[in-house]
Amino acid sequence: MACLLASSCSSETTMFSLTKPSKHRSWICCLFLAIYLTSLPVSAKQGSLKEVTDGNWEEILTGEWMIEFYAPWCPACQQLQPVWKEFADWGEDMGVNIAKVDVTEQPGLSGRFIITSLPTIYHCKDGVFRKYQGARTKDDFLSFIDGQKWKAVEPISSWFGPSSFLMNSMSALFKLSMFIRRCHNYMTEKLGIPVWGSYVIFGLATLFSGLALGLLLVFIADFVFPSRRFSSPDYYQKKQSIEQARLIQRQEDEHEADGEEDDDEEEEEEDQDDVWRRRRGSPEGRPEPKGQVFPDEALRKRVVANREEEEEDT
């Protein structure tokens, strides 16, 4: 009997010694598992806030999105960031993509959405954009999505949509302005060019680029829409006939001018002949008195009489 009791006690002690380390191991495993499970949602929430850039902005045209446009230097944007991050943690549960856009790094998107104030929030559902005008708290954002309050907001016109031609042009203009600003900073800070020198360089570049663009547009317009008078087949014949008519008219004018000069010369000769006649017909070569007119027969007789007197004197 004593042997049986001793054997049972020894077996219990051996079983307790075997189960004690296994319980410690199970507690350690449960602890690591709990730490791992609690760390999974945190890592997912950290990546729930997406970044929209000029390269991937077309992704927002599909699905439902809430997009914040901000600038790091904006105080109102800095106050909104913690609330926006908390709201982003609920995005996956509600089936909404929460994103943000830094307008200082993405000037093209700033022009594409015409951002005039910061922060600016847009709601997008399958390419239809609406501007959020409500309060900026997490509960208001959640009720705006969960209660579908965005349906009561008037959507942006397709003319001013981010994928329209007008907004594409605005995006390119904003990118160009940012490029010019960076060039200005590079010339003034890196190359040491004075500010007025940078302005002169940009002014000359603008002038020559405008002239080149104007000439290009003129050439394109002449090629696409040529003038009707130049394109007609009879244009050059008409032009040649007009030139010939002008030449003939010029020759006629010159001929008339020459005829008038000849008439003037003939009149002058006739006047001289009259004066000579009068001097020859008066005695001693004096001019005839005014108002006294001699007919041709009387003049002839006087000339013959003068000749006879001269012959008698000789």
Side-chain angles (χ1 to χ4, degrees), residues 186-231:
Y186 176 78
M187 286 189 292
T188 54
E189 295 176 1
K190 300 294 184 181
L191 301 180
I193 299 175
V195 177
W196 62 267
S198 176
Y199 290 158
V200 169
I201 292 172
F202 282 115
L204 293 175
T206 304
L207 177 62
F208 286 112
S209 61
L211 291 174
L213 182 61
L215 290 174
L216 179 62
L217 292 177
V218 169
F219 291 150
I220 293 174
D222 289 340
F223 180 76
V224 178
F225 304 103
S227 178
R228 291 183 178 178
R229 62 176 186 176
F230 291 109
S231 60

Side-chain angles (χ1 to χ4, degrees), residues 21-48:
S22 63
K23 289 181 179 180
H24 285 293
R25 290 175 182 174
S26 62
W27 278 108
I28 292 171
C29 292
C30 290
L31 180 62
F32 280 113
L33 182 62
I35 293 172
Y36 176 73
L37 291 176
T38 53
S39 64
L40 284 178
V42 173
S43 62
K45 289 182 179 180
Q46 288 179 354
S48 58

